[in-house]
């Protein structure tokens, strides 16, 4: 079964840059689009990156997404960290049968 | 403005049936897929399945196939998630979300429906 693996948690200081990785277990992560969702405590998820590196309107350009085929991974980078960025972040893609798969989520602490 | 509005919280007993809803507005309901996502208490997101209201094409995760039924009524722009016999392990928050394609990401989310199953 195709799986996406994320670090359980990351932390960084305000104003700094953090990168969250999402590694595919098999196949090519570049075969299907990767999305990134932000979920603040007690709230529904929101989309911060879709189609690997596209930002929905309203999402600041401090958020960016990328794919690294050599490591079969996707990354979410947040620059100029703000305390409001503190949240859980989930990557999501699809397997070869077009079944959706979420990563386990990464808790971002901005301290 | 695109909106997905879900039905309210439910408290049910094991063995009971349930159908929760997700009403879309502000876009052509039959032109986008609607997916359902489960989040058990304190846990991550799980992909349950997805439906295309235009022709009711439905795909399920193997983990949820046979456990739930996803449907849609395009005449009222509403998608549904239903159980015929709830279990305590179905206690979770359930989100609907809109996707441009069956294997694309979600760009709009509902607010979530909390389902509690307890005797």
């Amino acid at each position: 079964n195709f799986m996406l693996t994320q670090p359980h948690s990351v932390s960084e200081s305000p104003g700094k840059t953090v990168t969250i990785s999402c590694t595919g277990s098999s196949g090519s992560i570049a075969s299907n689009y990767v999305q990134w969702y932000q979920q603040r405590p007690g709230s529904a998820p929101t989309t911060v990156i879709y189609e690997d590196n596209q930002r929905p309107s309203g999402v600041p350009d401090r958020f960016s997404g990328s794919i690294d085929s050599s490591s079969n991974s996707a990354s979410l980078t947040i620059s100029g960290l703000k305390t409001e960025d503190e949240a859980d972040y989930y990557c999501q893609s699809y397997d070869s049968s077009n079944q959706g798969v979420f990563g386990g989520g990464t808790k971002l602490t901005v301290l | 403005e695109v909106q997905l509005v879900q039905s309210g919280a439910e408290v049910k007993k094991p063995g009971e049936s349930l159908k929760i809803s997700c009403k879309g507005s502000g876009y052509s309901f039959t032109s986008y897929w609607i997916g359902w996502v489960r989040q058990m208490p304190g846990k991550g997101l799980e992909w349950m399945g997805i439906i295309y209201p235009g022709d009711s094409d439905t795909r399920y995760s193997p983990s949820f196939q046979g456990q739930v039924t996803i449907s849609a009524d395009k005449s009222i722009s509403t998608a549904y998630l239903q159980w015929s016999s709830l279990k305590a392990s179905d206690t979770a928050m359930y989100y609907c979300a809109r996707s441009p394609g069956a294997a694309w990401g979600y760009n709009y989310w509902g607010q979530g429906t909390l389902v509690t199953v307890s005797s």
Side-chain angles (χ1 to χ4, degrees):
Chain A
N1 287 354
F2 180 67
M3 295 192 302
L4 296 171
T5 300
Q6 300 179 232
H8 182 68
S9 63
V10 297
S11 61
E12 190 50 271
S13 303
K16 300 291 191 180
T17 296
V18 70
T19 297
I20 299 171
S21 63
C22 170
T23 303
S25 62
S26 62
S28 171
I29 200 166
S31 297
N32 285 298
Y33 286 129
V34 175
Q35 283 62 235
W36 290 91
Y37 306 110
Q38 177 192 68
Q39 186 178 34
R40 295 190 174 106
S43 296
T46 62
T47 304
V48 293
I49 293 290
Y50 67 99
E51 293 177 19
D52 296 342
N53 55 19
Q54 303 299 303
R55 274 178 292 105
S57 59
V59 174
D61 60 6
R62 301 184 297 105
F63 290 79
S64 62
S66 63
I67 301 291
D68 181 353
S69 297
S70 65
S71 59
N72 207 37
S73 65
S75 295
L76 171 69
T77 298
I78 310 171
S79 60
L81 275 170
K82 301 184 176 185
T83 54
E84 68 204 47
D85 298 331
E86 191 162 287
D88 293 327
Y89 291 85
Y90 296 90
C91 61
Q92 182 256 326
S93 188
Y94 290 84
D95 66 16
S96 57
S97 302
N98 284 344
Q99 293 290 316
V101 178
F102 283 97
T106 299
K107 181 178 179 61
L108 170 62
T109 302
V110 181
L111 34 67
Chain B
E1 179 196 7
V2 174
Q3 283 193 311
L4 297 173
V5 179
Q6 298 185 229
S7 50
E10 301 274 1
V11 180
K12 291 290 190 178
K13 294 185 179 347
E16 292 186 332
S17 62
L18 176 64
K19 192 173 190 178
I20 63 175
S21 66
C22 169
K23 183 173 177 59
S25 62
Y27 72 99
S28 173
F29 186 72
T30 54
S31 299
Y32 290 83
W33 294 74
I34 294 286
W36 287 94
V37 175
R38 183 175 80 174
Q39 187 169 39
M40 299 177 77
K43 301 298 185 183
L45 306 175
E46 298 176 89
W47 194 90
M48 299 179 72
I50 198 164
I51 187 167
Y52 187 70
D55 61 6
S56 294
D57 183 3
T58 308
R59 293 107 187 265
Y60 293 92
S61 162
S63 299
F64 293 94
Q65 179 86 48
Q67 308 305 308
V68 297
T69 301
I70 295 171
S71 60
D73 184 341
K74 59 187 179 183
S75 70
I76 55 172
S77 300
T78 301
Y80 301 97
L81 178 65
Q82 69 179 91
W83 296 259
S84 58
S85 181
L86 286 161
K87 302 184 276 287
S89 57
D90 293 317
T91 294
M93 182 71 83
Y94 294 88
Y95 296 101
C96 66
R98 190 193 84 163
S99 175
W104 293 43
Y106 298 123
N107 51 13
Y108 288 93
W109 293 74
Q111 83 276 19
T113 296
L114 180 62
V115 174
T116 303
V117 184
S118 174
S119 55

